[in-house]
Amino acid sequence: MLGWTIAFLLIALVAGVLGFGGIAGASAGIAQILFIVFLVLFAAGVVGSVFNGRRSRL
């Protein structure tokens, strides 16, 4: 999920530099949404592991 966010962020940056405002805006919006979804899923995983009592392998 974080990989997709970084990919859309890079697409937005390249499109912005090249002057494609519509594509840059759309890609930046998608990157923001994916980043928020990633953060929510990460937080849910942390809370779930705390309540489950399991420790991460990392």
Side-chain angles (χ1 to χ4, degrees):
M1 181 80 59
L2 190 58
W4 283 101
T5 302
I6 293 170
F8 276 108
L9 178 63
L10 290 176
I11 291 171
L13 290 174
V14 169
V17 168
L18 295 177
F20 299 110
I23 295 172
S27 295
I30 292 171
Q32 287 175 345
I33 291 169
L34 288 175
F35 184 70
I36 291 171
V37 169
F38 170 76
L39 285 179
V40 168
L41 290 175
F42 177 74
V46 168
V47 170
S49 67
V50 166
F51 285 127
N52 246 353
R54 294 184 182 170
R55 301 199 86 194
S56 174
R57 294 184 198 174
L58 299 176

